[in-house]
Amino acid sequence: PAWDARMAAVLIALYPRRGEWCIPLTLRPAHMVDHARQISLPGGTHEADETDEQCALREYEEELGAAASKLVTVGYLSPVYVFASNFYVTPCVAVAEQTPAFEPNPHEVERVVELPLSVLLDPVCRETHIRSRRGFSFQTCHICCGDDRIWGATGMILSEAAQVIAESLEMPHVSG
């Protein structure tokens, strides 16, 4: 990351909904300074002396209005440097035993997007699209969730989560 990168954390909160595990994402409103109209994980910039876990849980509560006390943090994924906004983001992973009651903050969340693990793990839900920025066009990968495209840092973080989950679900080989 750049020497002046802003420290941030996001939360991958796994919870059960109608018999399958889901992850809450947010569609950021058009008025947001960074990453407007993009799908993101709940999260944001560290406050003074905050750990990654404290930051991610605080942002989860602020954005989604659900109690972070109902979550158990189980680990972290690889930090990601976001060049476009100069954030160094640490993804935290937590699990809830029950479906959270979301009350999204309308200043930070236009809508909650619930990503089922079955969609995240399905290779058919992976596609590419062309983005144009500052006079350059490039191809980028995204995850399809209904009509939503999840790409950029959020897509990268969720792709790593999918890999970790897929590997943990594999059964050990039995010889003989």
Side-chain angles (χ1 to χ4, degrees):
W3 66 271
D4 62 342
R6 296 177 286 173
M7 301 302 290
V10 296
L11 189 68
I12 298 172
L14 295 159
Y15 61 90
R17 173 171 295 288
R18 292 185 215 102
E20 81 172 307
W21 290 96
C22 292
I23 299 170
L25 304 169
T26 65
L27 174 62
R28 294 172 57 84
H31 70 267
M32 299 295 285
V33 174
D34 293 315
H35 311 291
R37 302 289 305 149
Q38 291 182 17
I39 306 279
S40 65
L41 289 156
T45 308
H46 281 223
E47 290 184 353
D49 299 324
E50 238 179 1
T51 66
D52 292 321
E53 179 181 14
Q54 290 167 334
C55 176
L57 293 172
R58 175 183 52 76
E59 289 285 345
Y60 170 83
E61 280 193 346
E62 288 176 6
E63 292 178 20
L64 294 176
S69 62
K70 305 278 186 184
L71 298 168
V72 175
T73 303
V74 295
Y76 302 89
L77 296 177
S78 304
V80 173
Y81 177 61
V82 184
F83 176 78
S85 55
N86 198 30
F87 280 112
Y88 188 64
V89 181
T90 299
C92 301
V93 181
V95 178
E97 290 184 16
Q98 297 179 340
T99 304
F102 297 125
E103 295 180 25
N105 176 341
H107 298 291
E108 296 191 54
V109 178
E110 184 171 313
R111 139 176 90 80
V112 176
V113 176
E114 293 182 293
L115 174 64
L117 274 191
S118 59
V119 171
L120 178 61
L121 298 174
D122 187 348
V124 171
C125 296
R126 305 293 172 121
E127 295 180 359
T128 60
H129 67 280
I130 303 295
R131 299 287 306 171
S132 295
R133 290 276 166 96
R134 300 177 189 152
F136 293 99
S137 291
F138 56 94
Q139 186 173 4
T140 186
C141 298
H142 64 264
I143 301 163
C144 297
C145 180
D147 292 332
D148 295 312
R149 285 182 177 171
I150 306 160
W151 62 282
T154 300
M156 290 170 48
I157 291 166
L158 288 171
S159 292
E160 181 182 0
Q163 185 65 37
V164 170
I165 292 166
E167 289 173 5
S168 71
L169 295 176
E170 289 180 13
M171 299 299 291
H173 295 280
V174 178
S175 59

